[in-house]
Amino acid sequence: MLRPNHANGRYLLARVFDQQGFRAAALLEFLRFLSIEPSTPRAKEAAGRVVELLHRGVTSGDGKNINVTVDPHPRTEEGDFGGWEMMISMTGGMRFTTEGRKKNEFEKTREEVSMALAMLLETRADAGASYSTTRNVPFFAMLQEKKLLETFIGAVLLPLELKGGDGWAKKNAAARHQYRAFVDAQAR
């Protein structure tokens, strides 16, 4: 990508990845887009796509069972994220657990994204070299190193207006400002 902080390029690439069945690459690209353009109508749509990608193939049947359907042969031309995709689906199932049902929607979703990115950063070498692993994963690793990853995750979910998001935003106003300053400095 010639202009890594170009919101339109990120958004369109995320949509293409999603339409072509690259779940992991689409998820990472939507998240990168949200780091650039966090509070527009398009950001709300992108954050919704992030949640849908996390929950893809995860259902709760009778309230006691969680069904997780994973593609046993996901596309790998954009990196071998098959193991991570399985982990993503399993984190998406957490919302149906007894503990998950006790949390507000914002906290459930924030925790799912947090766990998914933590697992990615732990297993990134397994995915091989690809656009996503060389262009997007280092950004998330840098946020983790700067202790801004959790703030980033909360901030990108705010456009969804999930129950509990306003409270998180007020409680983390200073951290959000620090995160935004860091991201804006990266864009220069």
Side-chain angles (χ1 to χ4, degrees):
M1 181 169 274
L2 296 176
R3 294 175 54 197
N5 292 311
H6 190 260
N8 286 336
R10 293 278 182 185
Y11 180 77
L12 292 173
L13 186 55
R15 290 184 54 129
V16 168
F17 280 150
D18 193 12
Q19 290 169 355
Q20 292 186 358
F22 294 106
R23 179 185 183 192
L27 177 61
L28 295 173
E29 203 62 43
F30 276 123
L31 287 169
R32 280 293 278 128
F33 162 77
L34 287 163
S35 75
I36 300 164
E37 189 177 299
S39 57
T40 64
R42 200 165 58 162
K44 184 174 184 173
E45 187 271 333
R49 296 299 302 143
V50 165
V51 173
E52 189 281 323
L53 288 162
L54 285 170
H55 296 164
R56 187 172 287 170
V58 181
T59 58
S60 176
D62 57 10
K64 294 181 182 179
N65 297 306
I66 301 168
N67 301 311
V68 177
T69 305
V70 179
D71 182 353
H73 305 290
R75 294 187 67 179
T76 59
E77 300 99 302
E78 185 41 48
D80 187 358
F81 291 101
W84 186 55
E85 287 186 21
M86 182 182 299
M87 290 185 261
I88 292 170
S89 294
M90 294 182 79
T91 62
M94 290 182 345
R95 69 182 32 256
F96 299 119
T97 65
T98 303
E99 185 177 311
R101 288 186 179 118
K102 294 177 185 175
K103 296 177 181 172
N104 65 49
E105 203 57 32
F106 182 83
E107 284 305 311
K108 282 189 243 187
T109 307
R110 191 191 58 74
E111 188 173 89
E112 291 168 9
V113 176
S114 178
M115 290 184 74
L117 287 176
M119 288 183 275
L120 172 69
L121 293 172
E122 289 281 328
T123 63
R124 64 183 167 201
D126 298 342
S130 69
Y131 169 82
S132 294
T133 57
T134 59
R135 299 290 182 173
N136 288 329
V137 174
F139 173 77
F140 300 115
M142 186 170 37
L143 288 178
Q144 184 180 50
E145 178 184 315
K146 300 287 184 186
K147 301 200 182 326
L148 295 171
L149 189 60
E150 293 300 319
T151 305
F152 159 76
I153 294 165
V156 301
L157 295 175
L158 289 175
L160 293 175
E161 301 172 358
L162 299 171
K163 183 177 179 182
D166 286 344
W168 180 90
K170 288 175 187 167
K171 181 178 175 183
N172 292 281
R176 287 176 42 229
H177 178 74
Q178 180 184 9
Y179 156 74
R180 195 73 248 159
F182 174 78
V183 170
D184 290 346
Q186 297 299 309
R188 291 184 205 129

